[in-house]
Amino acid sequence: MMDTAQLQANILRGHGRNHVRLLFFRFPASVDSAVAMTRDLAQCVTSARQQQLQSEEYQRCQADSLLVSFYLTYDGLHDGLGLIGIWERFRGRAATSPNGRLFSDGMSSLESSGQILDKVDDWESHYQRKDGKPPFHGMVLLARDNPEALDMDCAAMRAILTRDGQVVHEEQGRALRQSSQGPPLEHFGYVDGISNPEFAPLVVRDGGWDASAPLDQVLVPDPFVNGAFGSFLVYRKLEQDVSKFRDLVGHMAQRSGLSQAEAGARLVGRFEDGTPVLGTTIPSGLWPPDNDFTFQDDLAGSGCPLFAHVRKMNPRLDDPHLSPAEQLDRRARRIARRGITYGNREPDLSDAPSKDVGLLFMAFMANIADQFAFIQRAWANDPSFPRTPTNVDPIIGPDATPLGRCFQDRGSSFSWQSAVTMRGGEYFFAPSIPFLHNPQAG
Ligand code: HEM
């Protein structure tokens, strides 16, 4: 039985707040000071249990509350807190395993960037290593609805982090909504955060999509505390060129004779309001958007193109020739997305910025190599997934593709270039709360 008072918030369920700050910090040089700093921070960290209570309170009276999470890089655990033998303690996850190598070497390593085609030289400098040294040891996430109150919380957190250590970078996330009650959108204008694994059994009707997932898809035993759990976090700052995306969708619409709305929906796999493009040519306007569908009756991709972002990222039983074990394997790749948009927009989103807006992509999982790195490399970036010819993911796939930049959809072809640029990121571990109270090898 897992104790939710020992698990950090935001892993099993998203926090749903409108404002987020990410403080990237370096520990003080001495291990003793780093341990003391972690203990101080542990007092502020929100557990999954507290998150549940906050959420009940929010439903009762819309009470705004602060949520704090604390994540560490491998260097933060190893150099900052002086912990050794980390991998021996992650049962079954040795240092030499693909997951071990990605986490230990970091997202800017040759290993990681080679696998998932990141161009690290183009990253913002505060995400790059200098003289082989990692730029930060960890990240504190603070979230709430009231931005002024969040500024004060941030100042208090900075005071703890800078007593001996350093805050080396900060990001500000802000949920993008067209109205205060509207759903969160990403900057291209589509509702985001609809489909995620649900870590509780769900009732699914026959033929629908079973969104449930076992806890070991997102949790791993905390290496330093028996009976407590943590999770790996993938963070990526993805800049979006809204102007370029709109031009490209316009070009696709022109080539295919589709409306702009339908052309965009065929690229994303959902209309802007979240309606799945499968089986319709117009958005339904229904809320919540349908998530109870599979692609098993649309093998050729005429209803939803094989290259559509949501289909590349979750092929949902789209191949009846796969064995049950292979289907299970695909289900086990799913990740718990918890990202938030950054950057300023006009309230009606009529502007079309080319830079300085995007997604602070964050996702929890039990294994970085088997989940995030696999779906980015072998699904998004691979033009032959799920079948040839498909092409790369038009939202997050690379520009240089062996099939060229020409996409085929229902007899017409159109050229495509990525409108998303990776600006920097890192792999983190979200340790258990008892570990944060006593961050030493037991
Ligand atoms: C700026 C970059 C991105 C944009 C604009 C974007 C946009 C979207 C949108 C609009 C949806 C549909 C709404 C939903 O189901 O929640 C979606 C779903 C999804 N995205 Fe992304 N995304 C981005 C990056 C990524 C990355 C980096 C990954 C992972 C490598 C990813 C994985 C997924 C997954 C797994 C789904 C759910 C698919 C499903 O279960 O149906 N996305 N994304």
Side-chain angles (χ1 to χ4, degrees):
M1 194 57 187
M2 198 239 335
D3 181 355
T4 52
Q6 298 195 342
L7 181 71
Q8 290 204 51
N10 199 29
I11 299 174
L12 298 182
R13 282 185 47 220
H15 61 73
R17 270 99 166 149
N18 280 325
H19 294 273
V20 161
R21 301 274 196 281
L22 303 177
L23 302 180
F24 297 84
F25 66 88
R26 287 191 65 81
F27 273 128
S30 107
V31 167
D32 287 348
S33 307
V35 166
M37 181 176 126
T38 306
R39 284 195 173 128
D40 286 351
L41 277 163
Q43 313 294 330
C44 316
V45 171
T46 313
S47 69
R49 169 95 188 108
Q50 285 163 332
Q51 182 187 6
Q52 173 65 29
L53 298 174
Q54 289 175 342
S55 151
E56 287 165 15
E57 189 68 9
Y58 185 81
Q59 270 156 24
R60 255 197 312 276
C61 57
Q62 258 77 64
D64 180 27
S65 54
L66 173 69
L67 179 137
V68 179
S69 301
F70 187 82
Y71 310 121
L72 291 167
T73 62
Y74 178 84
D75 296 298
L77 290 164
H78 187 268
D79 301 346
L81 293 173
L83 295 166
I84 48 167
I86 297 170
W87 286 107
E88 290 68 24
R89 290 164 179 265
F90 270 114
R91 267 173 283 141
R93 292 177 172 84
T96 52
S97 70
N99 190 57
R101 293 223 302 276
L102 286 180
F103 180 59
S104 317
D105 296 349
M107 197 179 273
S108 59
S109 65
L110 285 178
E111 174 82 26
S112 180
S113 56
Q115 269 191 38
I116 59 178
L117 307 181
D118 276 344
K119 293 187 201 137
V120 179
D121 290 346
D122 296 344
W123 287 10
E124 292 171 6
S125 60
H126 35 256
Y127 289 111
Q128 297 191 19
R129 289 185 173 242
K130 284 176 199 68
D131 308 323
K133 280 214 178 120
F136 39 77
H137 288 130
M139 169 173 107
V140 176
L141 175 150
L142 300 102
R144 60 152 88 232
D145 276 335
N146 179 329
E148 288 82 32
L150 188 56
D151 281 342
M152 290 195 283
D153 300 322
C154 246
M157 182 57 68
R158 276 175 170 275
I160 303 179
L161 292 169
T162 53
R163 211 177 292 143
D164 294 312
Q166 255 179 296
V167 173
V168 291
H169 181 56
E170 178 175 340
E171 295 286 357
Q172 299 199 0
R174 193 167 62 97
L176 192 66
R177 298 181 202 267
Q178 263 179 321
S179 66
S180 62
Q181 299 304 312
L185 310 174
E186 52 68 46
H187 280 283
F188 296 146
Y190 295 78
V191 173
D192 203 356
I194 302 166
S195 174
N196 256 321
E198 304 265 355
F199 301 105
L202 293 182
V203 180
V204 186
R205 63 173 168 73
D206 273 357
W209 172 244
D210 172 8
S212 69
L215 283 176
D216 65 4
Q217 192 155 332
V218 73
L219 299 184
V220 290
D222 187 305
F224 297 102
V225 183
N226 276 337
F229 293 84
S231 183
F232 288 101
L233 170 71
V234 172
Y235 163 72
R236 288 167 84 72
K237 182 176 182 184
L238 299 168
E239 188 175 61
Q240 293 176 254
D241 184 336
V242 180
S243 166
K244 187 174 181 184
F245 181 82
R246 290 202 184 143
D247 286 352
L248 288 161
V249 174
H251 163 72
M252 175 185 176
Q254 207 178 27
R255 300 279 305 180
S256 58
L258 299 174
S259 67
Q260 187 107 354
E262 198 183 349
R266 293 189 70 75
L267 291 160
V268 173
R270 290 184 183 269
F271 284 87
E272 288 186 354
D273 73 350
T275 308
V277 74
L278 182 74
T280 182
T281 55
I282 46 164
S284 71
L286 293 176
W287 190 260
D290 185 13
N291 196 34
D292 193 10
F293 62 93
T294 73
F295 301 113
Q296 57 189 352
D297 297 325
D298 182 38
L299 294 191
S302 55
C304 176
L306 300 180
F307 56 69
H309 176 60
V310 304
R311 188 161 183 174
K312 285 282 254 184
M313 291 293 86
N314 185 3
R316 299 183 188 220
L317 316 173
D318 94 334
D319 187 345
H321 307 297
L322 292 184
S323 67
E326 286 165 324
Q327 293 286 10
L328 268 181
D329 179 81
R330 281 188 175 180
R331 289 180 61 76
R333 308 285 177 186
R334 290 171 303 149
I335 53 180
R337 291 176 301 133
R338 304 287 181 247
I340 188 162
T341 40
Y342 72 89
N344 295 323
R345 293 291 301 274
E346 294 296 329
D348 61 357
L349 308 188
S350 58
D351 55 336
S354 320
K355 57 188 179 87
D356 299 331
V357 301
L359 181 66
L360 302 174
F361 174 87
M362 287 176 260
F364 290 100
M365 62 206 75
N367 188 307
I368 300 165
D370 291 348
Q371 293 174 269
F372 162 72
F374 185 90
I375 65 173
Q376 178 76 54
R377 184 189 74 242
W379 291 359
N381 296 359
D382 186 341
S384 60
F385 182 81
R387 285 177 280 292
T388 308
T390 292
N391 222 322
V392 299
D393 184 312
I395 308 293
I396 56 163
D399 256 343
T401 138
L403 291 183
R405 290 186 181 152
C406 194
F407 279 60
Q408 309 284 335
D409 186 31
R410 293 202 298 208
S412 65
S413 64
F414 61 97
S415 63
W416 186 258
Q417 287 169 10
S418 175
V420 171
T421 308
M422 170 68 177
R423 290 294 178 212
E426 194 47 279
Y427 300 126
F428 294 94
F429 183 65
S432 71
I433 290 180
F435 169 80
L436 298 176
H437 283 282
N438 185 22
Q440 280 156 323

